[in-house]
Amino acid sequence: MKLKRNIAISDSGFVFNPSTGDSYSLNPVGLEILTLAKAQKNKDEIRQYMLDNYLLDLDTFEKDFDDFANMLDHFNLIEK
Amino acid sequence: MSKKQYERPVIQQLRTGITSKFGAAFESQALTHIDGVAVKDLIKEFGSPLFVLSERKIRENFKAANRSFKNRYPKVQFAWSYKTNYLNAICKVFHQEGSWAEVVSRFEYDKAIKNGVPPSKIIFNGPDKTDKDLELAASNHSPIHIDHFDELYRLKEIAEKLGRKIKVAIRVNMDTGVYPVWDRFGFNYENGQAWEAIQKIINSDTLDLVGLHTHIGTYMLTPNAYAVASSKLCYLAINVKKSFGKVVEYIDMGGGFASKNTLKGMYLKGVDVVPSVDEYADAITSAFLNAGFPTEDLPFLYLETGRALIDDAGFLLGSVIANKRLSDGRKATIMDFGVNIMFTSFWFDHKISPAQQSGGYTEDTVLYGPLCMNIDVLRENISLPPLNTGDQVVVHHVGAYNITQSMQFISMRPAIVLIDRNGKANVIRKLETLETLEKDELMPEYLEKIDL
Ligand SMILES: Cc1ncc(COP(=O)(O)O)c(C=O)c1O
């Protein structure tokens, strides 16, 4: 999952896509994952980080991460 | 190091100008207890989904409404509109508070009798009363409200047969400035039909005109409509006295006060825009007091208030079955209760609260029921914290009409509990079972045996 280069993310969970003018909001976990993606972490690294730091099981992570990634794709925020 | 609390990651597009600023915060707040009883415990003990009624709230609503009218007018009588919620335990709470009964069918009439209401305190309304029903009500001296001329003539025959006068009122419909006019019930005021019915009754020596009745609509948002309707009925009553020397004993203003639900398409929340009972009481009692009755002729004011007295005392508890993503990217959540037990979701955007605390961030979701039907939509769009399978919600303001109009379909109808004033949860209807469902089914003999 590679975030588009020009996507801006603020500390408060606000996302802006300058090429379309669209903006988005993230909840804290969404912000955490998107920040890792912005730092070029791949899915394996993100998974490890999340399991280490959150009260979370593997199945829940997989289900939620895939859905989240689909939404990023839906909003055109990741490179194809 | 202790791990952080996890919540499903959510990203939401921001749109300006379409959401009401009151929306999200208003709904995302958790409701964990009802009258001091934990929602979790209720579901654990009685299952999910579950209807919960608050006796404290019902009594509070009734007392407030009763006070509101009695402070303004000397002769007031409420009659509990059975169809709004006719669970016997609920009816009895109202009867204990002093409410009579208002019924529109034979089985409701029989229920009121069984609940111990004296027959003279059961108002019999509605277009569908058989000769047998009318005979029974007439013999019992229950006030009968005539809906149409056919009924009026039938009642005259019944009175002759019984050899006694029958106490009747007529239902009147009229233009109150709120449209469409409910002109299919009763006799019309403007075209003279109501006056014609009054004349026929007074000129008969078998019927005794004791009252005038109207029910101008339901969920009426304008108290002024009641002022108009009251003035018209008072005018009729005064003219009855003038023309025939007969004092009309009571005027029954029906039901229709709005409950605090939010109608679909309404921008503001129901709780913020629905008139208070005081406002309806002002409109009605001012019209009565200013109509020109001599004090000794002031009629009794009857009220058949339904939804406004019970809607906010009823809750539906339910659980999340699953989350889904729709093809257009919208989030969808499937609940374990459907429109078959939440009939009013066709008209109202019911307030729905999570039953557990959450991070405060919300996402837009379509809320579906579990029925295998496309129309099973509880809320087309609601902002809720990310919910997971097994999480619980509380639907607000479902005390009116949902239980009486619910139907068994695909799943069993849930149990219903009444939380009493001591905080004890009493089952007042058990969860349906396959046995309840099949109790009245019969099997033709040739179908008994199958051989697969
Ligand atoms: C004759 C009559 N009275 C009273 C009511 C109760 O109305 P509401 O629940 O709107 O107060 C109804 C409801 O349909 C009715 O038909």
Side-chain angles (χ1 to χ4, degrees), chain B residues 427-442:
Chain B
V427 177
I428 57 172
R429 192 167 80 192
K430 292 190 278 186
L431 169 70
E432 269 179 349
T433 60
L434 193 55
E435 285 74 52
T436 19
L437 189 59
E438 293 181 342
K439 189 171 94 25
D440 296 319
E441 280 191 40
L442 298 170

Side-chain angles (χ1 to χ4, degrees), chain B residues 377-429:
Chain B
V377 184
L378 303 164
R379 284 287 302 265
E380 275 109 19
N381 183 28
I382 181 169
S383 263
L384 284 173
L387 295 171
N388 299 310
T389 301
D391 279 352
Q392 294 155 353
V393 302
V394 179
V395 187
H396 298 246
H397 301 173
V398 295
Y401 299 104
N402 280 302
I403 291 168
T404 43
Q405 295 186 348
S406 71
M407 58 177 176
Q408 188 281 317
F409 180 59
I410 296 185
S411 51
M412 295 298 162
R413 280 183 296 184
I416 303 171
V417 301
L418 177 71
I419 301 183
D420 65 26
R421 286 167 290 176
N422 300 318
K424 180 171 173 279
N426 306 270
V427 177
I428 57 172
R429 192 167 80 192

Side-chain angles (χ1 to χ4, degrees), chain B residues 81 83-84 102 125 171 215 218 255-256 304-307 401:
Chain B
S81 174
K83 73 183 94 45
T84 312
E102 183 268 330
N125 276 324
R171 175 156 172 178
H215 172 67
T218 192
E304 302 166 351
T305 311
R307 68 172 72 249
Y401 299 104

Side-chain angles (χ1 to χ4, degrees), chain B residues 79 81 83-84 102-104 125-126 171 182 185 213-215 217-220 226 252 254-258 303-309 400-401:
Chain B
S81 174
K83 73 183 94 45
T84 312
E102 183 268 330
V103 304
V104 291
N125 276 324
R171 175 156 172 178
W182 280 28
F185 304 106
H213 171 231
T214 190
H215 172 67
T218 192
Y219 197 83
M220 303 293 289
Y226 285 94
D252 180 343
F257 304 158
L303 293 151
E304 302 166 351
T305 311
R307 68 172 72 249
L309 293 180
Y401 299 104

Side-chain angles (χ1 to χ4, degrees), chain B residues 31 34 50-55 57-58 61 85 90 261 307 309-317 350-351 394-400 402-403 416-418:
Chain B
L31 184 79
I34 297 171
L50 178 73
F51 275 110
V52 176
L53 287 143
S54 158
E55 182 176 344
K57 189 72 192 150
I58 297 173
N61 287 346
N85 188 323
I90 300 302
N261 257 316
R307 68 172 72 249
L309 293 180
I310 194 151
D311 223 5
D312 63 354
F315 303 85
L316 178 57
L317 318 186
H350 280 281
K351 177 181 170 183
V394 179
V395 187
H396 298 246
H397 301 173
V398 295
N402 280 302
I403 291 168
I416 303 171
V417 301
L418 177 71

